[in-house]
Amino acid sequence: MRPRTVIGSPLRILLLTCTFALAAYAGLRLFDGDWFGIALWIVGAALLHDLVLLPLYAAADRALISVAGRERVMYVRVPAALSLLLLLVWFPLIGGQVAARYTAATGLSADGYLARWLLVTAALFGGSALLFVLRRTRRPRWARGTRGLRRATKERPPVVH
Amino acid sequence: MARSPFSPAFWRSPVRGPWLTSVLGLVLLGGITLLFVTGLLSYAAYNPDLSPVNDKTPGKGLLGFYLFAWPTDPHWLYRLTQGVHVTLGITLIPVLLAKLWSVVPKLFALPPARSVAHALERISLLLLVGGGLFEFVTGVLNVQLDYLFPGSFYPLHFYGAWIFFAAFAAHAVLKTPAALRNLRQLREEERDELTSPAPDAPTVSRRGALGLVGGGSLLLFATTVGQDFDGLRWTALFAPHGRRDPGTGPGGFQINKTAAYAGIHPAETGEEAWRLVVTGRTGTVRLSRAELLQLPLHSAALPIACVEGWSTSDQWWRGVRLRDLAALVGYDADPPDVFVQSLQRHGSFRRAALRANQVADPRSLLALSVNGADLTPDHGHPARIIVPAAPGVLNTKWVARLTFGDL
């Protein structure tokens, strides 16, 4: 093997050296406080996302496909994903864990968040169910259960042999 | 079926591929660049180089190279830049998650490094992913007042942003040409190492998957952006300053910190007890609220715009011009900087500095009333600062002392 392939592009190395220099300059200042806690948060965020959150929702999606079937899975996947997204972003307010501080600081009630999230979740699933029923009844009986598959096949990327 | 994530056949989604990753990557290229710029502007808006009390990252060194005197025009400037920063950040969360999902097979790609350059690039990706998630998580927690993170929000979010941006800029330089090429060719069937070699039957098209990501962004945007407009506030179902105002009437609009939370005792703010102490070139003047009301009063329609990304529409403030107060203590023609102290006993901005250009603006007031009524305790009674285009925390409430002069 020639040494060039082992080292790689000198320009790429130069660019990444600049990255590490700037990151180190900022990092020295960032880690001035609780350096261990901060490093744990940064590395932990990447690991928690890549090795816990992502496998969890991928496994949940697989389980959903096996229960709902390929044709109907989107009617559950879309409302579930949107609802969980809202929960992921707003869990401190929805879960009520900041309620006391929030109300004391802002003068606003923290009560409605959980109820609103449940209502929005219900609306998302309800709308999805309605759409499912409408699409099913508008289709002739002989075509039921095949259109979704046909369309998916049409849009599937051609297999390269 | 491959059981190990290190095997390419383990990844079976037919949706993964260069087209989806390129679209998401280019959205983030524009979006995160705008987040970084508006974030830097927010830091400049605090005028951190004016006085140590305005600067939560005094060790910034070269990272403050771009700082400038924050202007007072247009008066909605900070409302815009910080509203964009927070609303866009929340809107981009689904795009970020989808982008990370689309490239996760690369995390397990073997061999771990093909060259020195490749090894360095993979290390930089830890800064990119870890730093990016750190920025989004600290931001989302801070706007909800959930201070779980290990330290003060300002240094964590500011220095963290530089680490993230260092990795982001290199990633953009290395990957943008390929992403543009992928999209220009407009061939969704293009294959690369992200394309599964053994895909499952599809349950959704690539455009459908992109639609779900866009739908998530739209949902977050639509339930957040209302916290920046009094008339649309009811639409912000989940944003921290959404749904409704804390009160009714002239002083019913949004509050950052209530008087009770800030530890203001009614005994200190009564007509008998409270005096404004103004110091300057010619000495010190003490004014009661009744005496302040005898000075020439002026009006200004200005918003409250918070670093947390929420704002009010313009409120109609009335009070004494800061430059008139400067003139009382010997600065007749040349209003200088001012050091403002509040009755607040705790809170990181109970002391704040305003620059000469802010003091000189005729709309900068020591406000005594708002929307035609006396200030309420939660909005800073007996008197508060209101300055056009300044971040909310520099509009000090419950003002006790103004010290004019070069800081």
Side-chain angles (χ1 to χ4, degrees):
Chain A
M1 196 185 281
R2 285 172 299 156
R4 177 153 181 81
T5 51
V6 175
I7 292 167
S9 154
L11 271 179
R12 194 152 67 137
I13 291 177
L14 186 67
L15 179 69
L16 291 165
T17 309
C18 295
T19 290
F20 292 124
L22 176 55
Y25 189 85
L28 284 175
R29 287 155 176 79
L30 178 64
F31 293 131
D32 193 28
D34 172 14
W35 67 269
F36 182 75
I38 296 164
L40 197 68
W41 265 64
I42 293 181
V43 177
L47 293 181
L48 209 62
H49 173 270
D50 288 353
L51 302 180
V52 179
L53 182 66
L54 195 149
L56 266 181
Y57 73 69
D61 191 61
R62 268 184 198 289
L64 192 64
I65 292 173
S66 64
V67 171
R70 295 193 172 276
E71 194 196 346
R72 287 174 299 183
V73 67
M74 284 306 271
Y75 293 100
V76 185
R77 186 192 267 156
V78 171
L82 294 178
S83 166
L84 289 175
L85 177 69
L86 288 174
L87 182 63
L88 178 75
V89 174
W90 301 118
F91 75 88
L93 285 170
I94 292 172
Q97 66 190 73
V98 293
R101 179 190 292 137
Y102 173 82
T103 300
T106 65
L108 294 162
S109 165
D111 286 343
Y113 284 93
L114 177 62
R116 282 200 291 280
W117 178 67
L118 291 172
L119 283 175
V120 168
T121 301
L124 287 167
F125 276 96
S128 189
L130 190 67
L131 198 65
F132 177 74
V133 170
L134 283 178
R135 284 185 177 170
R136 236 184 128 74
T137 51
R138 277 188 189 172
R139 216 182 301 160
R141 184 168 292 141
W142 58 266
R144 278 178 205 170
T146 59
R147 195 173 121 185
L149 277 181
R150 267 220 321 265
R151 204 173 65 195
T153 317
K154 206 174 100 194
E155 290 174 9
R156 184 180 175 180
V159 180
V160 180
H161 292 286
Chain B
M1 192 188 299
R3 285 281 168 209
S4 157
F6 296 100
S7 156
F10 175 86
W11 306 99
R12 282 171 291 162
S13 172
V15 174
R16 277 203 189 89
W19 183 81
L20 183 68
T21 298
S22 300
V23 173
L24 297 170
L26 288 173
V27 172
L28 289 177
L29 174 65
I32 287 175
T33 304
L34 193 51
L35 284 184
F36 186 63
V37 170
T38 49
L40 291 186
L41 288 177
S42 179
Y43 184 53
Y46 278 68
N47 279 329
D49 48 347
L50 178 65
S51 161
V53 297
N54 288 17
D55 194 1
K56 300 301 161 195
T57 51
K60 60 193 175 295
L62 297 173
L63 302 179
F65 72 93
Y66 66 94
L67 292 175
F68 54 94
W70 188 250
T72 55
D73 271 305
H75 71 272
W76 39 261
L77 182 61
Y78 190 72
R79 190 179 172 204
L80 175 73
T81 62
Q82 197 59 12
V84 167
H85 185 75
V86 172
T87 309
L88 179 63
I90 288 166
T91 304
L92 284 178
I93 288 170
V95 186
L96 178 75
L97 293 176
K99 175 68 164 56
L100 292 175
W101 174 83
S102 83
V103 295
V104 73
K106 288 196 177 193
L107 179 66
F108 299 94
L110 291 176
R114 294 188 297 269
S115 65
V116 174
H118 184 234
L120 290 176
E121 190 177 338
R122 291 197 76 171
I123 296 169
S124 80
L125 291 179
L126 176 65
L127 300 182
L128 183 72
V129 176
L133 289 169
F134 182 75
E135 287 302 286
F136 277 83
V137 169
T138 50
V140 163
L141 289 176
N142 188 64
V143 302
Q144 296 176 76
L145 315 185
D146 198 2
Y147 308 126
L148 291 171
F149 29 78
S152 157
F153 173 72
Y154 287 96
L156 294 184
H157 203 65
F158 178 74
Y159 294 130
W162 279 102
I163 294 180
F164 172 46
F165 191 74
F168 174 81
H171 190 67
V173 169
L174 293 172
K175 300 294 187 188
T176 305
L180 288 172
R181 206 160 51 236
N182 283 335
L183 292 192
R184 213 175 286 131
Q185 291 167 347
L186 286 176
R187 290 216 305 272
E188 284 188 47
E189 62 271 27
E190 195 77 17
R191 299 178 70 84
D192 73 354
E193 72 271 26
L194 288 174
T195 315
S196 173
D200 282 345
T203 57
V204 61
S205 67
R206 284 192 179 132
R207 281 170 197 279
L210 201 57
L212 175 56
V213 177
S217 286
L218 192 65
L219 178 65
L220 284 172
F221 177 81
T223 53
T224 301
V225 70
Q227 72 169 339
D228 281 295
F229 305 93
D230 287 349
L232 291 178
R233 198 166 305 279
W234 64 275
T235 65
L237 296 182
F238 297 100
H241 284 258
R243 291 297 294 139
R244 64 176 80 85
D245 283 329
T248 54
F253 55 95
Q254 296 292 314
I255 300 161
N256 181 36
K257 299 285 185 287
T258 61
Y261 189 87
I264 303 297
H265 299 291
E268 302 171 285
T269 58
E271 191 62 53
E272 293 304 313
W274 184 80
R275 292 291 178 274
L276 176 73
V277 181
V278 186
T279 306
R281 197 183 264 157
T282 53
T284 295
V285 177
R286 284 167 192 277
L287 297 161
S288 69
R289 199 164 187 279
E291 288 167 322
L292 279 168
L293 284 165
Q294 297 305 310
L295 296 173
L297 299 180
H298 296 270
S299 300
L302 298 171
I304 295 287
C306 184
V307 68
E308 291 161 9
W310 59 268
S311 57
T312 71
S313 298
D314 288 351
Q315 310 295 327
W316 192 68
W317 307 92
R318 194 158 171 81
V320 184
R321 280 179 176 158
L322 291 183
R323 66 183 193 193
D324 290 350
L325 290 169
L328 276 184
V329 287
Y331 294 97
D332 290 304
D334 52 339
D337 308 331
V338 65
F339 188 76
V340 184
Q341 287 162 277
S342 169
L343 289 172
Q344 261 181 280
R345 285 191 183 72
H346 51 84
S348 52
F349 285 93
R350 64 190 185 279
R351 297 170 301 165
L354 297 170
R355 209 184 284 274
N357 69 312
Q358 294 173 314
V359 174
D361 193 295
R363 296 163 298 176
S364 296
L365 304 176
L366 181 73
L368 302 167
S369 67
V370 62
N371 300 326
D374 268 358
L375 289 176
T376 61
D378 289 337
H379 283 299
H381 180 86
R384 78 169 298 168
I385 300 285
I386 187 82
V387 170
V393 285
L394 295 186
N395 293 320
T396 309
K397 298 195 276 193
W398 314 291
V399 173
R401 186 181 280 269
L402 298 173
T403 309
F404 288 95
D406 291 332
L407 297 170

